[in-house]
C-alpha cells in the first residue's frame, strides 16, 4: 500500500517509489489553534505567503480543461442558504483537467477529475433524479444532463495515449467510479500506468459511508481496485514544477485542491465552491447572494450537499482564494476554477454566474 507522510514520503514495498512527490510543510499546524477565528486568520496569512513562494517557482508545462457533462444540482446546496429565487436546480459543468509538469524523473501527466460519466450516473441522488422522468428518462437526460465529451475523447483531441498518464486525482470522490480507469478484480484499467492520488481521509471515508454521505458516492466505485494503484497522501504534496495538491477539508473530510502555476497566475481547483460568486459573494449578481453575504458577513458561500465539516470548509475556501489571488480576466473575482462550475441554463432562471472561466488552455502538450 502506498502511503505519504512527512517523515518518509512514500512506502510501497513491491514497486518503485514516487520520488517526485514531496511534502509541503507550509500549512502544518495551521488549524490547531483553539478559536475558529484564529485558525482562519492563521490560514489566511500562510496562504498568502505560500502564494508568493509558489508564484516565484516554475510554471506548468501544459494545462487544459474540458467540459464533460452538464448535470442539474440543487440550488439549496450550491449556494447554501443564499439564493433567493424558488428555482430548485442549477446546472454545473463537470470538467476534466489535463496537467503536465516537470519533475526530476521527467515530464509527468496528471488527469484531474476524469469522470466516468456513464458509471457515475449510478450515484443514488442522480439516479433517483433520472428516474423521476419515468418513461421519458432518456429524453430528460439529453435535456437536463447532456454529455459533452468523454475522457477518452478528450485525450484523443490532444493526442495523449492513455499509457502516458502517470496519475489521476479528484478533489473528492463524490459520484466517482474509479474501476474503469484503474482496473478492478483482475481486469485491466484504461490507464495501465496511472495511480490514484487521494488523501487518506477521503479513501478511508469511502470504506464505510454514513447515510448523509452515501447518497453522493457511486456504489462500489472503488471495489476490487488493487492498492498498488493507490497512493494515500497524509499531507499537502508537491507533484512537480508548478503543481501541488493542498488539503482543503470541508466539503468532504478528505477534500483537496489542485494548485497550478500558469502563465495567467495560480489556478486553484476543487468543489468547495461551484462558482466565482461563491468566493466573492459581495460582487455577485445572482439573486440573493450579495444581500445574504452582506447581512451575515459570510466571506464565502459553501457548496453544502453533505456539510461533513462546515467550519473547516469555510476556512478552506478562504485558503483557496488567497492562494489563487485575483483573476486577470476579472479582478473582482479570484482564480478559483471549480471542478464542477455553475453554468446558466434556460430552464433554471436566475442561476447564471456573474463571472465564469469557461475552458482554459496554457502551454503545449507533450505526447511522446
Amino acid at each position: 500500500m502506498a502511503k505519504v507522510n512527512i517523515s518518509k514520503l512514500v512506502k510501497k514495498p513491491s514497486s518503485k517509489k514516487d520520488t517526485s512527490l514531496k511534502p509541503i510543510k507550509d500549512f502544518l499546524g495551521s488549524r490547531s489553534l483553539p478559536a475558529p477565528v484564529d485558525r482562519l486568520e492563521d490560514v489566511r496569512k500562510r496562504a498568502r505567503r505560500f502564494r508568493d513562494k509558489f508564484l516565484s517557482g516554475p510554471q506548468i508545462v501544459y494545462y487544459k480543461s474540458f467540459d464533460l457533462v452538464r448535470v442539474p444540482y440543487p440550488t439549496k446546496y450550491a449556494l447554501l442558504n443564499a439564493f433567493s429565487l424558488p428555482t430548485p436546480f442549477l446546472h454545473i459543468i463537470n470538467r476534466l483537467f489535463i496537467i503536465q509538469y516537470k519533475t526530476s524523473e521527467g515530464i509527468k501527466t496528471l488527469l484531474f477529475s476524469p469522470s466516468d460519466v456513464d458509471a457515475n450516473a449510478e450515484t443514488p441522488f442522480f439516479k433517483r433524479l433520472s428516474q423521476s422522468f419515468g418513461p421519458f428518462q432518456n429524453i430528460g437526460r439529453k435535456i437536463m444532463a447532456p454529455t459533452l465529451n468523454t475522457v477518452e475523447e478528450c485525450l484523443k483531441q490532444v493526442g495523449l495515449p492513455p499509457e502516458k498518464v502517470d496519475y489521476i486525482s479528484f478533489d473528492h470522490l463524490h459520484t466517482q467510479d474509479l474501476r474503469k480507469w484503474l482496473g478492478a478484480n483482475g481486469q485491466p484499467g484504461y490507464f495501465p500506468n496511472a495511480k490514484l492520488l487521494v488523501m487518506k481521509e477521503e479513501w478511508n471515508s469511502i470504506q464505510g459511508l454514513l447515510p448523509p454521505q452515501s447518497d453522493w458516492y457511486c456504489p462500489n466505485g472503488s471495489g476490487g481496485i488493487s492498492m498498488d494503484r493507490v497512493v494515500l497522501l497524509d499531507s499537502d504534496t508537491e507533484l512537480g514544477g508548478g503543481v501541488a495538491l493542498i488539503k482543503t477539508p470541508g466539503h468532504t473530510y478528505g477534500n483537496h485542491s489542485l494548485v497550478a502555476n500558469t502563465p495567467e497566475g495560480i489556478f486553484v481547483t476543487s468543489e468547495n465552491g461551484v462558482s466565482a460568486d461563491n468566493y466573492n459573494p459581495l460582487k455577485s449578481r445572482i439573486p440573493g447572494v450579495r444581500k445574504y453575504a452582506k447581512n451575515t458577513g459570510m466571506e464565502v458561500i459553501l457548496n453544502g450537499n453533505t456539510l461533513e465539516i462546515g467550519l473547516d470548509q469555510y476556512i478552506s475556501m478562504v485558503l483557496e482564494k488567497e492562494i489563487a489571488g485575483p483573476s486577470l480576466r476579472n479582478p473582482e473575482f479570484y482564480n478559483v476554477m471549480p471542478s464542477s462550475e455553475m453554468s446558466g441554463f434556460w430552464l433554471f432562471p436566475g442561476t447564471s454566474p456573474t463571472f465564469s472561466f469557461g475552458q482554459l488552455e496554457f502551454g503545449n502538450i507533450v505526447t511522446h
Side-chain angles (χ1 to χ4, degrees):
M1 178 188 299
K3 185 176 178 65
V4 173
N5 55 43
I6 296 300
S7 60
K8 191 170 184 180
L9 191 62
V10 180
K11 285 185 180 179
K12 286 178 49 181
S14 62
S15 60
K16 184 179 178 182
K17 290 183 179 180
D18 297 286
T19 57
S20 60
L21 303 179
K22 299 177 182 178
I24 294 171
K25 301 182 180 181
D26 300 61
F27 298 99
L28 283 177
S30 62
R31 303 196 191 209
S32 61
L33 296 173
V37 66
D38 293 332
R39 296 199 295 271
L40 174 65
E41 292 312 313
D42 188 59
V43 164
R44 191 192 306 275
K45 291 175 184 176
R46 293 184 189 223
R48 289 173 176 171
R49 290 198 297 264
F50 178 81
R51 167 180 166 77
D52 290 341
K53 183 174 74 172
F54 206 72
L55 276 173
S56 68
Q59 295 182 357
I60 47 82
V61 173
Y62 182 71
Y63 179 113
K64 184 173 174 62
S65 64
F66 300 82
D67 296 350
L68 292 181
V69 60
R70 291 177 178 264
V71 295
Y73 187 63
T75 51
K76 66 180 180 181
Y77 298 143
L79 300 165
L80 188 66
N81 300 321
F83 188 64
S84 62
L85 296 184
T87 309
F89 292 99
L90 52 77
H91 250 169
I92 53 176
I93 301 177
N94 178 244
R95 290 200 170 103
L96 165 72
F97 299 81
I98 298 178
I99 316 291
Q100 291 187 321
Y101 51 92
K102 293 179 180 178
T103 76
S104 59
E105 300 172 356
I107 292 175
K108 294 206 170 188
T109 300
L110 166 73
L111 298 191
F112 197 75
S113 196
S115 295
D116 181 352
V117 173
D118 291 332
N120 293 0
E122 293 298 307
T123 301
F125 175 85
F126 290 109
K127 188 171 184 177
R128 284 200 312 276
L129 186 62
S130 177
Q131 290 173 341
S132 68
F133 288 96
F136 303 103
Q137 283 187 46
N138 291 335
I139 295 174
R141 182 171 178 178
K142 288 180 180 178
I143 296 174
M144 299 283 282
T147 297
L148 309 173
N149 284 294
T150 66
V151 171
E152 297 94 324
E153 289 169 345
C154 294
L155 266 62
K156 288 179 181 177
Q157 287 179 38
V158 297
L160 183 68
E163 60 269 19
K164 296 296 184 181
V165 175
D166 297 287
Y167 300 111
I168 66 172
S169 190
F170 305 82
D171 47 286
H172 68 299
L173 293 178
H174 280 177
T175 77
Q176 300 300 334
D177 192 317
L178 309 172
R179 294 171 292 182
K180 179 178 181 179
W181 309 134
L182 299 175
N185 300 311
Q187 296 298 312
Y190 184 75
F191 300 116
N193 302 314
K195 296 175 185 176
L196 172 70
L197 299 176
V198 60
M199 292 294 164
K200 69 174 183 179
E201 294 89 346
E202 187 72 3
W203 187 259
N204 291 340
S205 185
I206 65 173
Q207 307 310 313
L209 299 167
L210 297 179
Q213 301 168 296
S214 59
D215 214 28
W216 295 95
Y217 285 90
C218 193
N220 202 35
S222 62
I225 293 174
S226 172
M227 285 305 295
D228 66 8
R229 304 297 303 277
V230 180
V231 180
L232 298 181
L233 304 175
D234 279 333
S235 68
D236 305 323
T237 304
E238 179 185 335
L239 307 190
V243 182
L245 299 179
I246 302 296
K247 296 181 76 169
T248 50
H251 189 65
T252 67
Y253 276 95
N255 205 92
H256 68 236
S257 300
L258 170 69
V259 177
N261 191 9
T262 79
E264 205 170 292
I266 296 174
F267 278 92
V268 179
T269 295
S270 87
E271 209 173 290
N272 275 319
V274 298
S275 72
D277 297 72
N278 289 71
Y279 289 89
N280 198 3
L282 288 175
K283 297 296 183 179
S284 177
R285 295 195 296 270
I286 298 172
V289 171
R290 182 179 180 275
K291 182 178 179 180
Y292 176 80
K294 189 174 181 180
N295 289 342
T296 62
M298 295 285 283
E299 184 176 347
V300 292
I301 303 297
L302 278 59
N303 171 23
N305 59 339
T306 54
L307 288 176
E308 293 190 21
I309 35 177
L311 284 181
D312 274 297
Q313 185 173 350
Y314 188 92
I315 294 171
S316 291
M317 291 179 71
V318 172
L319 180 150
E320 289 172 330
K321 74 185 186 73
E322 294 291 355
I323 290 177
S327 167
L328 294 179
R329 302 184 181 206
N330 186 339
E332 290 188 336
F333 293 97
Y334 294 90
N335 257 5
V336 181
M337 171 66 158
S339 52
S340 293
E341 187 178 25
M342 182 178 175
S343 175
F345 184 46
W346 63 274
L347 278 177
F348 304 147
T351 62
S352 293
T354 307
F355 170 68
S356 178
F357 287 100
Q359 296 183 65
L360 300 174
E361 184 173 17
F362 306 106
N364 298 297
I365 194 166
V366 178
T367 59
H368 54 274

